[in-house]
Amino acid sequence: MRLIDYTGKLNNHDDYLAIINKLENNCQYIEYVLINDEEIELLEKFEDCIISFESKNKWWGTKSSQKNKVYKIKASKEIFKYLKQFETFCKYTMSSSSDIVEETDFGLNDIAFLDEKEIPLLFTTTHEGYITVRDDILR
């Protein structure tokens, strides 16, 4: 089991849905990190599924100088149905002069999908366009 850089590989809705479907079958927990404190719809909608909350400066894929709110949520069919409505997490393209990150309807918050041992299946650093996936999820 290895982690693979998957940045730029979920730039369209079909690829996004394919990975969401794989995650749905393997995910037990979701970590949701508030990068934008105004983007709380997921938390409000699934408030009953929140297991814990911490202010941390380190989470999957990120170490920050400031603390952010990190929520651990019990995964459910309803959450995955909700996630399927989004275009994708973020869009990342490279050009000869720079990397371009495009925000989508998902917003800026980071998200991680964890298995029963709380080992990541996929995690994002959404505002930077980075996505990391575990290799066995791609099979």
Side-chain angles (χ1 to χ4, degrees):
M1 166 177 59
R2 302 183 346 218
L3 293 175
I4 297 172
D5 181 3
Y6 218 60
T7 301
K9 296 191 173 137
L10 297 180
N11 282 352
N12 67 65
H13 188 64
D14 290 339
D15 292 338
Y16 170 78
L17 284 180
I19 205 88
I20 288 291
N21 286 331
K22 289 180 181 185
L23 291 169
E24 183 175 8
N25 295 327
N26 296 284
C27 180
Q28 296 297 313
Y29 306 101
I30 295 170
E31 280 190 352
Y32 191 70
V33 183
L34 284 187
I35 303 301
N36 180 345
D37 287 335
E38 295 176 11
E39 294 176 6
I40 58 171
E41 183 179 336
L42 182 143
L43 296 171
E44 290 176 336
K45 191 165 183 70
F46 299 102
E47 184 176 6
D48 293 344
C49 298
I50 296 173
I51 297 169
S52 64
F53 157 81
E54 282 184 77
S55 284
K56 301 199 267 187
N57 67 343
K58 187 176 180 186
W59 56 90
W60 291 108
T62 303
K63 184 174 182 181
S64 173
S65 58
Q66 70 180 31
K67 289 190 174 192
N68 289 74
K69 298 172 184 169
V70 180
Y71 293 85
K72 183 177 174 186
I73 303 167
K74 177 72 175 141
S76 68
K77 295 280 184 199
E78 293 79 22
I79 290 175
F80 280 95
K81 182 178 179 182
Y82 173 80
L83 290 171
K84 289 174 185 178
Q85 76 177 336
F86 297 108
E87 179 184 8
T88 187
F89 297 119
C90 52
K91 293 182 179 181
Y92 181 94
T93 53
M94 293 178 9
S95 70
S96 57
S97 59
S98 67
D99 298 349
I100 301 165
V101 178
E102 181 183 333
E103 183 180 344
T104 68
D105 55 349
F106 179 76
L108 295 175
N109 294 333
D110 293 350
I111 193 166
F113 299 87
L114 311 173
D115 67 13
E116 70 282 346
K117 295 179 183 172
E118 299 187 31
I119 298 170
L121 303 164
L122 179 146
F123 57 88
T124 71
T125 308
T126 310
H127 68 286
E128 294 178 0
Y130 301 140
I131 298 172
T132 303
V133 66
R134 203 166 82 190
D135 64 348
D136 59 334
I137 287 299
L138 300 175
R139 296 182 202 140

